[in-house]
Amino acid sequence: MTELELLGPRAHGDACGSAVLKAVAEDFQVDEVLDIPLSGDGEHLWLWVEKRGLNTEEAARRLARAAGVPVKMISYAGLKDRQALTRQWFSLHLPGKSDPDLAAAEDDSLRILERNRHRRKLQRGAHSANGFTLRLTELQADREQLEARLKALVAQGVPNYFGTQRFGHDGGNVFDARGFAERGKLPEHRNMRSRMLSAARSFIFNQVLARRVAEGTWNQARVGDLLAFTDSRSFFPAGEAECSDPRLAALDLHPTGPMWGEGDSPATNQPGEIESSVQQAEMALCQWLASADMAHERRILRLPIPGLTWHYPAPDILQLEFVLPAGCFATVVVRELIDLVPAGQTESPCAY
């Protein structure tokens, strides 16, 4: 499946040019934001870990081996990219045990930056946000056009698509999920089951968002929408009065799309018709998600980037810094700016 099939159209127009992302791990830096005060005591050892060229599950296995505990005793808030320099929290459940020697886990690809005890384990999804520092190299773009686009992203936000990495290589997770849905079965392995269900829900959400982008209503409230604040999982229906709420223009309040599960979508009128149309087109996946006891949830369609800053360390390098809520993808921000190409495939010096 192509990127356009997995995500949908851009909202801000064609890309302003091209660049390379992740030529080296340091070009994609992620810092987990975790607003949990640690107690300093308890049977859980929390670790602030920096990793390079290593995905989260690999890091967890390495920590488990060094600590001499089963990997199921290792917890983390979210998955982070392999081809990146990331800093995130892990917790080790060590009831009745002292802090283990974890030196065997450390090398150039993994460093433990901080250790602390806490009374509870780290839960999945516990982090509130991720801070990103991205360096786009081999940049080929008109500087004036790029500056205007960056200002537009700050003022208007971007479509809150799930990034292509959610769907596996060439959308393979979506194909696999459809196969399970057609057979009416769920994967037996827990991790595979979670990955397939997540890919299916994310794909359906992206299909709804793509239609809203195509008709120009992804950033506008319509009667029948369900509205939510940026950092809230609760939502409420939009009537005429709610569609004029000034917090919509301030990018604090947003229309939402479905994270499919049991029951019909609560959206009505035109927003409900779009969601119903996607449901009909992907009925097998929707029924499969409902049969897996997935609750119907909502996700904001518009992703604000209020703290986005940028500068040019060199004429052909653009560095971006911003913070996104947990579960949102930095690559969808980049997608509204430029096309990403493999290193060495740019054709001429950066144009201004």
Side-chain angles (χ1 to χ4, degrees), residues 7 10 12 21 132 134 136 149-150 153-154 157-161 163 303-305 308 320-324 328-338 340:
L7 277 67
R10 290 182 170 97
H12 292 277
L21 180 60
F132 295 91
L134 307 186
L136 301 168
R149 180 65 57 84
L150 285 161
L153 300 193
V154 173
V158 300
N160 194 21
Y161 289 119
L303 177 60
I305 327 168
L308 174 64
L320 308 172
E321 296 182 16
F322 53 91
V323 177
L324 297 180
C328 299
F329 289 76
T331 49
V332 306
V333 177
V334 175
R335 183 174 183 257
E336 292 291 334
L337 290 171
I338 50 90
L340 294 178

PDB file of all heavy atoms in Angstrom, residues 7 10 12 21 132 134 136 149-150 153-154 157-161 163 303-305 308 320-324 328-338 340:
ATOM      1  N   LEU A   7      -2.401   6.885   4.609  1.00  0.00           N
ATOM      2  CA  LEU A   7      -2.698   8.131   5.304  1.00  0.00           C
ATOM      3  C   LEU A   7      -3.836   8.853   4.591  1.00  0.00           C
ATOM      4  O   LEU A   7      -4.996   8.638   4.897  1.00  0.00           O
ATOM      5  CB  LEU A   7      -1.448   9.024   5.388  1.00  0.00           C
ATOM      6  CG  LEU A   7      -0.478   8.721   6.533  1.00  0.00           C
ATOM      7  CD1 LEU A   7       0.187   7.368   6.369  1.00  0.00           C
ATOM      8  CD2 LEU A   7       0.570   9.796   6.655  1.00  0.00           C
ATOM      9  N   ARG A  10      -2.484  15.529   1.770  1.00  0.00           N
ATOM     10  CA  ARG A  10      -1.972  16.613   2.601  1.00  0.00           C
ATOM     11  C   ARG A  10      -3.041  17.698   2.740  1.00  0.00           C
ATOM     12  O   ARG A  10      -3.878  17.875   1.855  1.00  0.00           O
ATOM     13  CB  ARG A  10      -0.714  17.216   1.972  1.00  0.00           C
ATOM     14  CG  ARG A  10       0.529  16.319   1.987  1.00  0.00           C
ATOM     15  CD  ARG A  10       1.695  17.079   1.368  1.00  0.00           C
ATOM     16  NE  ARG A  10       2.976  16.410   1.534  1.00  0.00           N
ATOM     17  CZ  ARG A  10       3.546  15.633   0.617  1.00  0.00           C
ATOM     18  NH1 ARG A  10       2.948  15.428  -0.550  1.00  0.00           N
ATOM     19  NH2 ARG A  10       4.722  15.073   0.849  1.00  0.00           N
ATOM     20  N   HIS A  12      -2.092  21.045   3.534  1.00  0.00           N
ATOM     21  CA  HIS A  12      -1.524  22.374   3.279  1.00  0.00           C
ATOM     22  C   HIS A  12      -0.950  22.516   1.873  1.00  0.00           C
ATOM     23  O   HIS A  12      -0.239  23.491   1.602  1.00  0.00           O
ATOM     24  CB  HIS A  12      -0.445  22.676   4.320  1.00  0.00           C
ATOM     25  CG  HIS A  12      -0.974  22.852   5.713  1.00  0.00           C
ATOM     26  ND1 HIS A  12      -1.506  24.036   6.176  1.00  0.00           N
ATOM     27  CD2 HIS A  12      -1.086  21.968   6.735  1.00  0.00           C
ATOM     28  CE1 HIS A  12      -1.900  23.887   7.430  1.00  0.00           C
ATOM     29  NE2 HIS A  12      -1.664  22.648   7.789  1.00  0.00           N
ATOM     30  N   LEU A  21      15.698  12.446   6.141  1.00  0.00           N
ATOM     31  CA  LEU A  21      15.508  12.341   7.580  1.00  0.00           C
ATOM     32  C   LEU A  21      16.105  11.025   8.052  1.00  0.00           C
ATOM     33  O   LEU A  21      15.911   9.995   7.409  1.00  0.00           O
ATOM     34  CB  LEU A  21      14.020  12.414   7.944  1.00  0.00           C
ATOM     35  CG  LEU A  21      13.668  12.319   9.428  1.00  0.00           C
ATOM     36  CD1 LEU A  21      14.311  13.454  10.220  1.00  0.00           C
ATOM     37  CD2 LEU A  21      12.149  12.347   9.631  1.00  0.00           C
ATOM     38  N   PHE A 132      10.451  16.320  20.365  1.00  0.00           N
ATOM     39  CA  PHE A 132      11.192  15.925  19.169  1.00  0.00           C
ATOM     40  C   PHE A 132      12.196  16.992  18.761  1.00  0.00           C
ATOM     41  O   PHE A 132      11.898  18.190  18.816  1.00  0.00           O
ATOM     42  CB  PHE A 132      10.242  15.693  17.988  1.00  0.00           C
ATOM     43  CG  PHE A 132       9.300  14.534  18.170  1.00  0.00           C
ATOM     44  CD1 PHE A 132       8.047  14.716  18.726  1.00  0.00           C
ATOM     45  CD2 PHE A 132       9.672  13.255  17.782  1.00  0.00           C
ATOM     46  CE1 PHE A 132       7.179  13.652  18.894  1.00  0.00           C
ATOM     47  CE2 PHE A 132       8.811  12.184  17.942  1.00  0.00           C
ATOM     48  CZ  PHE A 132       7.563  12.378  18.508  1.00  0.00           C
ATOM     49  N   LEU A 134      14.258  17.211  15.245  1.00  0.00           N
ATOM     50  CA  LEU A 134      14.456  16.572  13.944  1.00  0.00           C
ATOM     51  C   LEU A 134      15.384  17.420  13.092  1.00  0.00           C
ATOM     52  O   LEU A 134      15.230  18.640  13.023  1.00  0.00           O
ATOM     53  CB  LEU A 134      13.122  16.397  13.205  1.00  0.00           C
ATOM     54  CG  LEU A 134      11.985  15.696  13.945  1.00  0.00           C
ATOM     55  CD1 LEU A 134      10.815  15.479  12.998  1.00  0.00           C
ATOM     56  CD2 LEU A 134      12.429  14.384  14.553  1.00  0.00           C
ATOM     57  N   LEU A 136      16.536  17.771   9.237  1.00  0.00           N
ATOM     58  CA  LEU A 136      16.312  17.413   7.842  1.00  0.00           C
ATOM     59  C   LEU A 136      17.536  17.848   7.034  1.00  0.00           C
ATOM     60  O   LEU A 136      17.836  19.048   6.961  1.00  0.00           O
ATOM     61  CB  LEU A 136      15.051  18.101   7.319  1.00  0.00           C
ATOM     62  CG  LEU A 136      13.759  17.770   8.083  1.00  0.00           C
ATOM     63  CD1 LEU A 136      12.643  18.701   7.689  1.00  0.00           C
ATOM     64  CD2 LEU A 136      13.360  16.326   7.851  1.00  0.00           C
ATOM     65  N   ARG A 149       5.073  27.974   4.957  1.00  0.00           N
ATOM     66  CA  ARG A 149       4.421  26.722   5.337  1.00  0.00           C
ATOM     67  C   ARG A 149       4.609  26.439   6.830  1.00  0.00           C
ATOM     68  O   ARG A 149       3.669  26.009   7.510  1.00  0.00           O
ATOM     69  CB  ARG A 149       5.007  25.577   4.505  1.00  0.00           C
ATOM     70  CG  ARG A 149       4.406  24.197   4.809  1.00  0.00           C
ATOM     71  CD  ARG A 149       2.922  24.081   4.459  1.00  0.00           C
ATOM     72  NE  ARG A 149       2.675  24.395   3.069  1.00  0.00           N
ATOM     73  CZ  ARG A 149       2.810  23.520   2.059  1.00  0.00           C
ATOM     74  NH1 ARG A 149       3.209  22.293   2.295  1.00  0.00           N
ATOM     75  NH2 ARG A 149       2.526  23.888   0.817  1.00  0.00           N
ATOM     76  N   LEU A 150       5.800  26.665   7.343  1.00  0.00           N
ATOM     77  CA  LEU A 150       6.044  26.451   8.768  1.00  0.00           C
ATOM     78  C   LEU A 150       5.134  27.336   9.622  1.00  0.00           C
ATOM     79  O   LEU A 150       4.569  26.883  10.622  1.00  0.00           O
ATOM     80  CB  LEU A 150       7.512  26.735   9.082  1.00  0.00           C
ATOM     81  CG  LEU A 150       8.506  25.655   8.640  1.00  0.00           C
ATOM     82  CD1 LEU A 150       9.923  26.226   8.561  1.00  0.00           C
ATOM     83  CD2 LEU A 150       8.460  24.466   9.593  1.00  0.00           C
ATOM     84  N   LEU A 153       1.662  25.892   9.675  1.00  0.00           N
ATOM     85  CA  LEU A 153       1.514  24.739  10.564  1.00  0.00           C
ATOM     86  C   LEU A 153       1.320  25.183  12.005  1.00  0.00           C
ATOM     87  O   LEU A 153       0.526  24.587  12.749  1.00  0.00           O
ATOM     88  CB  LEU A 153       2.738  23.825  10.467  1.00  0.00           C
ATOM     89  CG  LEU A 153       3.071  23.210   9.107  1.00  0.00           C
ATOM     90  CD1 LEU A 153       4.101  22.101   9.274  1.00  0.00           C
ATOM     91  CD2 LEU A 153       1.838  22.694   8.396  1.00  0.00           C
ATOM     92  N   VAL A 154       2.031  26.227  12.423  1.00  0.00           N
ATOM     93  CA  VAL A 154       1.862  26.754  13.772  1.00  0.00           C
ATOM     94  C   VAL A 154       0.457  27.328  13.944  1.00  0.00           C
ATOM     95  O   VAL A 154      -0.200  27.116  14.965  1.00  0.00           O
ATOM     96  CB  VAL A 154       2.921  27.831  14.076  1.00  0.00           C
ATOM     97  CG1 VAL A 154       2.637  28.497  15.426  1.00  0.00           C
ATOM     98  CG2 VAL A 154       4.317  27.230  14.074  1.00  0.00           C
ATOM     99  N   GLY A 157      -2.164  23.946  12.609  1.00  0.00           N
ATOM    100  CA  GLY A 157      -1.995  22.545  12.949  1.00  0.00           C
ATOM    101  C   GLY A 157      -1.900  21.678  11.708  1.00  0.00           C
ATOM    102  O   GLY A 157      -1.852  22.174  10.576  1.00  0.00           O
ATOM    103  N   VAL A 158      -1.870  20.354  11.911  1.00  0.00           N
ATOM    104  CA  VAL A 158      -1.781  19.399  10.809  1.00  0.00           C
ATOM    105  C   VAL A 158      -2.797  18.284  11.034  1.00  0.00           C
ATOM    106  O   VAL A 158      -3.252  18.069  12.163  1.00  0.00           O
ATOM    107  CB  VAL A 158      -0.367  18.781  10.705  1.00  0.00           C
ATOM    108  CG1 VAL A 158       0.677  19.858  10.463  1.00  0.00           C
ATOM    109  CG2 VAL A 158      -0.016  17.962  11.944  1.00  0.00           C
ATOM    110  N   PRO A 159      -3.184  17.555   9.991  1.00  0.00           N
ATOM    111  CA  PRO A 159      -4.048  16.393  10.191  1.00  0.00           C
ATOM    112  C   PRO A 159      -3.351  15.368  11.091  1.00  0.00           C
ATOM    113  O   PRO A 159      -2.177  15.052  10.896  1.00  0.00           O
ATOM    114  CB  PRO A 159      -4.246  15.846   8.775  1.00  0.00           C
ATOM    115  CG  PRO A 159      -3.960  17.002   7.875  1.00  0.00           C
ATOM    116  CD  PRO A 159      -2.902  17.805   8.563  1.00  0.00           C
ATOM    117  N   ASN A 160      -4.078  14.849  12.040  1.00  0.00           N
ATOM    118  CA  ASN A 160      -3.506  13.964  13.059  1.00  0.00           C
ATOM    119  C   ASN A 160      -3.498  12.505  12.588  1.00  0.00           C
ATOM    120  O   ASN A 160      -3.959  11.593  13.288  1.00  0.00           O
ATOM    121  CB  ASN A 160      -4.297  14.101  14.363  1.00  0.00           C
ATOM    122  CG  ASN A 160      -3.591  13.482  15.551  1.00  0.00           C
ATOM    123  OD1 ASN A 160      -2.385  13.283  15.542  1.00  0.00           O
ATOM    124  ND2 ASN A 160      -4.362  13.163  16.579  1.00  0.00           N
ATOM    125  N   TYR A 161      -2.960  12.287  11.387  1.00  0.00           N
ATOM    126  CA  TYR A 161      -2.865  10.922  10.858  1.00  0.00           C
ATOM    127  C   TYR A 161      -1.975  10.053  11.754  1.00  0.00           C
ATOM    128  O   TYR A 161      -1.028  10.535  12.383  1.00  0.00           O
ATOM    129  CB  TYR A 161      -2.221  10.940   9.468  1.00  0.00           C
ATOM    130  CG  TYR A 161      -3.050  11.499   8.346  1.00  0.00           C
ATOM    131  CD1 TYR A 161      -2.614  12.624   7.630  1.00  0.00           C
ATOM    132  CD2 TYR A 161      -4.236  10.899   7.950  1.00  0.00           C
ATOM    133  CE1 TYR A 161      -3.342  13.132   6.570  1.00  0.00           C
ATOM    134  CE2 TYR A 161      -4.976  11.402   6.895  1.00  0.00           C
ATOM    135  CZ  TYR A 161      -4.537  12.515   6.195  1.00  0.00           C
ATOM    136  OH  TYR A 161      -5.258  13.016   5.144  1.00  0.00           O
ATOM    137  N   GLY A 163       1.064   7.637  11.558  1.00  0.00           N
ATOM    138  CA  GLY A 163       2.153   7.535  10.601  1.00  0.00           C
ATOM    139  C   GLY A 163       2.245   6.155   9.979  1.00  0.00           C
ATOM    140  O   GLY A 163       1.720   5.165  10.510  1.00  0.00           O
ATOM    141  N   LEU A 303      -4.089  18.184  14.796  1.00  0.00           N
ATOM    142  CA  LEU A 303      -2.980  18.137  15.744  1.00  0.00           C
ATOM    143  C   LEU A 303      -2.319  19.511  15.814  1.00  0.00           C
ATOM    144  O   LEU A 303      -1.665  19.943  14.854  1.00  0.00           O
ATOM    145  CB  LEU A 303      -1.968  17.088  15.299  1.00  0.00           C
ATOM    146  CG  LEU A 303      -0.691  16.941  16.135  1.00  0.00           C
ATOM    147  CD1 LEU A 303      -1.023  16.563  17.574  1.00  0.00           C
ATOM    148  CD2 LEU A 303       0.232  15.915  15.493  1.00  0.00           C
ATOM    149  N   PRO A 304      -2.453  20.237  16.931  1.00  0.00           N
ATOM    150  CA  PRO A 304      -1.786  21.538  17.051  1.00  0.00           C
ATOM    151  C   PRO A 304      -0.302  21.359  17.366  1.00  0.00           C
ATOM    152  O   PRO A 304       0.092  20.380  17.999  1.00  0.00           O
ATOM    153  CB  PRO A 304      -2.529  22.197  18.218  1.00  0.00           C
ATOM    154  CG  PRO A 304      -2.995  21.053  19.059  1.00  0.00           C
ATOM    155  CD  PRO A 304      -3.287  19.915  18.106  1.00  0.00           C
ATOM    156  N   ILE A 305       0.519  22.305  16.918  1.00  0.00           N
ATOM    157  CA  ILE A 305       1.961  22.280  17.185  1.00  0.00           C
ATOM    158  C   ILE A 305       2.360  23.661  17.704  1.00  0.00           C
ATOM    159  O   ILE A 305       3.148  24.383  17.064  1.00  0.00           O
ATOM    160  CB  ILE A 305       2.767  21.934  15.917  1.00  0.00           C
ATOM    161  CG1 ILE A 305       1.992  20.965  15.030  1.00  0.00           C
ATOM    162  CG2 ILE A 305       4.124  21.329  16.275  1.00  0.00           C
ATOM    163  CD1 ILE A 305       2.589  20.809  13.665  1.00  0.00           C
ATOM    164  N   LEU A 308       6.238  24.795  17.996  1.00  0.00           N
ATOM    165  CA  LEU A 308       7.156  24.495  16.889  1.00  0.00           C
ATOM    166  C   LEU A 308       8.146  25.636  16.678  1.00  0.00           C
ATOM    167  O   LEU A 308       7.771  26.790  16.505  1.00  0.00           O
ATOM    168  CB  LEU A 308       6.347  24.264  15.607  1.00  0.00           C
ATOM    169  CG  LEU A 308       7.158  24.074  14.318  1.00  0.00           C
ATOM    170  CD1 LEU A 308       8.006  22.819  14.385  1.00  0.00           C
ATOM    171  CD2 LEU A 308       6.225  24.024  13.107  1.00  0.00           C
ATOM    172  N   LEU A 320      14.029  21.146  13.306  1.00  0.00           N
ATOM    173  CA  LEU A 320      12.721  21.408  13.897  1.00  0.00           C
ATOM    174  C   LEU A 320      12.714  20.929  15.338  1.00  0.00           C
ATOM    175  O   LEU A 320      13.266  19.858  15.646  1.00  0.00           O
ATOM    176  CB  LEU A 320      11.619  20.670  13.130  1.00  0.00           C
ATOM    177  CG  LEU A 320      11.546  20.855  11.622  1.00  0.00           C
ATOM    178  CD1 LEU A 320      10.522  19.886  11.026  1.00  0.00           C
ATOM    179  CD2 LEU A 320      11.165  22.285  11.284  1.00  0.00           C
ATOM    180  N   GLU A 321      12.041  21.668  16.199  1.00  0.00           N
ATOM    181  CA  GLU A 321      11.859  21.250  17.582  1.00  0.00           C
ATOM    182  C   GLU A 321      10.402  21.484  17.965  1.00  0.00           C
ATOM    183  O   GLU A 321       9.853  22.562  17.733  1.00  0.00           O
ATOM    184  CB  GLU A 321      12.793  22.020  18.520  1.00  0.00           C
ATOM    185  CG  GLU A 321      14.268  21.736  18.251  1.00  0.00           C
ATOM    186  CD  GLU A 321      15.193  22.458  19.219  1.00  0.00           C
ATOM    187  OE1 GLU A 321      14.694  22.934  20.270  1.00  0.00           O
ATOM    188  OE2 GLU A 321      16.398  22.541  18.931  1.00  0.00           O
ATOM    189  N   PHE A 322       9.770  20.452  18.540  1.00  0.00           N
ATOM    190  CA  PHE A 322       8.367  20.567  18.931  1.00  0.00           C
ATOM    191  C   PHE A 322       8.015  19.431  19.882  1.00  0.00           C
ATOM    192  O   PHE A 322       8.759  18.455  20.027  1.00  0.00           O
ATOM    193  CB  PHE A 322       7.436  20.551  17.702  1.00  0.00           C
ATOM    194  CG  PHE A 322       7.648  19.383  16.774  1.00  0.00           C
ATOM    195  CD1 PHE A 322       6.953  18.199  16.922  1.00  0.00           C
ATOM    196  CD2 PHE A 322       8.551  19.479  15.719  1.00  0.00           C
ATOM    197  CE1 PHE A 322       7.134  17.135  16.060  1.00  0.00           C
ATOM    198  CE2 PHE A 322       8.748  18.424  14.839  1.00  0.00           C
ATOM    199  CZ  PHE A 322       8.038  17.245  15.013  1.00  0.00           C
ATOM    200  N   VAL A 323       6.865  19.570  20.531  1.00  0.00           N
ATOM    201  CA  VAL A 323       6.341  18.561  21.458  1.00  0.00           C
ATOM    202  C   VAL A 323       4.969  18.143  20.973  1.00  0.00           C
ATOM    203  O   VAL A 323       4.143  18.984  20.599  1.00  0.00           O
ATOM    204  CB  VAL A 323       6.254  19.123  22.899  1.00  0.00           C
ATOM    205  CG1 VAL A 323       5.632  18.099  23.838  1.00  0.00           C
ATOM    206  CG2 VAL A 323       7.636  19.534  23.406  1.00  0.00           C
ATOM    207  N   LEU A 324       4.729  16.829  20.968  1.00  0.00           N
ATOM    208  CA  LEU A 324       3.436  16.295  20.555  1.00  0.00           C
ATOM    209  C   LEU A 324       2.848  15.421  21.665  1.00  0.00           C
ATOM    210  O   LEU A 324       3.599  14.764  22.403  1.00  0.00           O
ATOM    211  CB  LEU A 324       3.576  15.438  19.297  1.00  0.00           C
ATOM    212  CG  LEU A 324       4.066  16.119  18.017  1.00  0.00           C
ATOM    213  CD1 LEU A 324       4.139  15.100  16.882  1.00  0.00           C
ATOM    214  CD2 LEU A 324       3.179  17.283  17.634  1.00  0.00           C
ATOM    215  N   CYS A 328       0.961  10.599  18.964  1.00  0.00           N
ATOM    216  CA  CYS A 328       0.962  11.387  17.738  1.00  0.00           C
ATOM    217  C   CYS A 328       2.323  11.285  17.059  1.00  0.00           C
ATOM    218  O   CYS A 328       3.335  11.036  17.715  1.00  0.00           O
ATOM    219  CB  CYS A 328       0.596  12.841  18.027  1.00  0.00           C
ATOM    220  SG  CYS A 328      -1.062  13.036  18.732  1.00  0.00           S
ATOM    221  N   PHE A 329       2.360  11.485  15.749  1.00  0.00           N
ATOM    222  CA  PHE A 329       3.515  11.131  14.946  1.00  0.00           C
ATOM    223  C   PHE A 329       4.220  12.353  14.378  1.00  0.00           C
ATOM    224  O   PHE A 329       3.616  13.169  13.673  1.00  0.00           O
ATOM    225  CB  PHE A 329       3.084  10.208  13.794  1.00  0.00           C
ATOM    226  CG  PHE A 329       2.706   8.825  14.240  1.00  0.00           C
ATOM    227  CD1 PHE A 329       1.492   8.589  14.858  1.00  0.00           C
ATOM    228  CD2 PHE A 329       3.569   7.754  14.044  1.00  0.00           C
ATOM    229  CE1 PHE A 329       1.140   7.310  15.280  1.00  0.00           C
ATOM    230  CE2 PHE A 329       3.237   6.481  14.460  1.00  0.00           C
ATOM    231  CZ  PHE A 329       2.020   6.253  15.077  1.00  0.00           C
ATOM    232  N   ALA A 330       5.523  12.448  14.668  1.00  0.00           N
ATOM    233  CA  ALA A 330       6.319  13.556  14.147  1.00  0.00           C
ATOM    234  C   ALA A 330       6.393  13.528  12.627  1.00  0.00           C
ATOM    235  O   ALA A 330       6.494  14.575  11.975  1.00  0.00           O
ATOM    236  CB  ALA A 330       7.721  13.512  14.744  1.00  0.00           C
ATOM    237  N   THR A 331       6.349  12.337  12.046  1.00  0.00           N
ATOM    238  CA  THR A 331       6.482  12.225  10.592  1.00  0.00           C
ATOM    239  C   THR A 331       5.317  12.867   9.849  1.00  0.00           C
ATOM    240  O   THR A 331       5.477  13.292   8.701  1.00  0.00           O
ATOM    241  CB  THR A 331       6.611  10.752  10.174  1.00  0.00           C
ATOM    242  OG1 THR A 331       5.577   9.982  10.805  1.00  0.00           O
ATOM    243  CG2 THR A 331       7.967  10.194  10.572  1.00  0.00           C
ATOM    244  N   VAL A 332       4.136  12.966  10.473  1.00  0.00           N
ATOM    245  CA  VAL A 332       3.014  13.604   9.779  1.00  0.00           C
ATOM    246  C   VAL A 332       3.185  15.118   9.768  1.00  0.00           C
ATOM    247  O   VAL A 332       2.604  15.803   8.917  1.00  0.00           O
ATOM    248  CB  VAL A 332       1.646  13.183  10.368  1.00  0.00           C
ATOM    249  CG1 VAL A 332       1.498  11.674  10.390  1.00  0.00           C
ATOM    250  CG2 VAL A 332       1.399  13.774  11.741  1.00  0.00           C
ATOM    251  N   VAL A 333       3.969  15.653  10.715  1.00  0.00           N
ATOM    252  CA  VAL A 333       4.306  17.076  10.675  1.00  0.00           C
ATOM    253  C   VAL A 333       5.259  17.333   9.510  1.00  0.00           C
ATOM    254  O   VAL A 333       5.058  18.245   8.700  1.00  0.00           O
ATOM    255  CB  VAL A 333       4.949  17.517  12.008  1.00  0.00           C
ATOM    256  CG1 VAL A 333       5.363  18.986  11.936  1.00  0.00           C
ATOM    257  CG2 VAL A 333       3.992  17.284  13.172  1.00  0.00           C
ATOM    258  N   VAL A 334       6.296  16.507   9.411  1.00  0.00           N
ATOM    259  CA  VAL A 334       7.278  16.646   8.332  1.00  0.00           C
ATOM    260  C   VAL A 334       6.605  16.495   6.971  1.00  0.00           C
ATOM    261  O   VAL A 334       6.935  17.203   6.013  1.00  0.00           O
ATOM    262  CB  VAL A 334       8.400  15.608   8.500  1.00  0.00           C
ATOM    263  CG1 VAL A 334       9.360  15.644   7.326  1.00  0.00           C
ATOM    264  CG2 VAL A 334       9.147  15.851   9.801  1.00  0.00           C
ATOM    265  N   ARG A 335       5.644  15.597   6.879  1.00  0.00           N
ATOM    266  CA  ARG A 335       4.957  15.316   5.608  1.00  0.00           C
ATOM    267  C   ARG A 335       4.264  16.544   5.042  1.00  0.00           C
ATOM    268  O   ARG A 335       4.134  16.684   3.818  1.00  0.00           O
ATOM    269  CB  ARG A 335       3.945  14.189   5.828  1.00  0.00           C
ATOM    270  CG  ARG A 335       3.191  13.725   4.584  1.00  0.00           C
ATOM    271  CD  ARG A 335       2.345  12.519   4.939  1.00  0.00           C
ATOM    272  NE  ARG A 335       1.664  11.984   3.769  1.00  0.00           N
ATOM    273  CZ  ARG A 335       0.374  12.177   3.501  1.00  0.00           C
ATOM    274  NH1 ARG A 335      -0.367  12.906   4.324  1.00  0.00           N
ATOM    275  NH2 ARG A 335      -0.172  11.652   2.414  1.00  0.00           N
ATOM    276  N   GLU A 336       3.799  17.436   5.910  1.00  0.00           N
ATOM    277  CA  GLU A 336       3.145  18.655   5.440  1.00  0.00           C
ATOM    278  C   GLU A 336       4.148  19.694   4.947  1.00  0.00           C
ATOM    279  O   GLU A 336       3.765  20.721   4.396  1.00  0.00           O
ATOM    280  CB  GLU A 336       2.271  19.255   6.545  1.00  0.00           C
ATOM    281  CG  GLU A 336       1.048  18.418   6.907  1.00  0.00           C
ATOM    282  CD  GLU A 336      -0.003  18.376   5.809  1.00  0.00           C
ATOM    283  OE1 GLU A 336      -0.067  19.325   5.005  1.00  0.00           O
ATOM    284  OE2 GLU A 336      -0.763  17.381   5.751  1.00  0.00           O
ATOM    285  N   LEU A 337       5.449  19.428   5.155  1.00  0.00           N
ATOM    286  CA  LEU A 337       6.494  20.352   4.731  1.00  0.00           C
ATOM    287  C   LEU A 337       7.184  19.917   3.448  1.00  0.00           C
ATOM    288  O   LEU A 337       7.257  20.669   2.482  1.00  0.00           O
ATOM    289  CB  LEU A 337       7.557  20.474   5.831  1.00  0.00           C
ATOM    290  CG  LEU A 337       7.176  21.191   7.116  1.00  0.00           C
ATOM    291  CD1 LEU A 337       8.271  21.004   8.144  1.00  0.00           C
ATOM    292  CD2 LEU A 337       6.930  22.667   6.843  1.00  0.00           C
ATOM    293  N   ILE A 338       7.746  18.709   3.480  1.00  0.00           N
ATOM    294  CA  ILE A 338       8.611  18.271   2.383  1.00  0.00           C
ATOM    295  C   ILE A 338       8.396  16.780   2.106  1.00  0.00           C
ATOM    296  O   ILE A 338       7.796  16.050   2.898  1.00  0.00           O
ATOM    297  CB  ILE A 338      10.108  18.538   2.696  1.00  0.00           C
ATOM    298  CG1 ILE A 338      10.485  17.987   4.078  1.00  0.00           C
ATOM    299  CG2 ILE A 338      10.404  20.034   2.669  1.00  0.00           C
ATOM    300  CD1 ILE A 338      10.968  16.595   4.090  1.00  0.00           C
ATOM    301  N   LEU A 340      10.215  13.205   1.845  1.00  0.00           N
ATOM    302  CA  LEU A 340      11.420  12.552   2.344  1.00  0.00           C
ATOM    303  C   LEU A 340      11.976  11.625   1.271  1.00  0.00           C
ATOM    304  O   LEU A 340      11.232  10.871   0.635  1.00  0.00           O
ATOM    305  CB  LEU A 340      11.116  11.757   3.610  1.00  0.00           C
ATOM    306  CG  LEU A 340      10.716  12.574   4.834  1.00  0.00           C
ATOM    307  CD1 LEU A 340      10.398  11.669   6.015  1.00  0.00           C
ATOM    308  CD2 LEU A 340      11.812  13.572   5.199  1.00  0.00           C
TER     309      LEU A 340
END
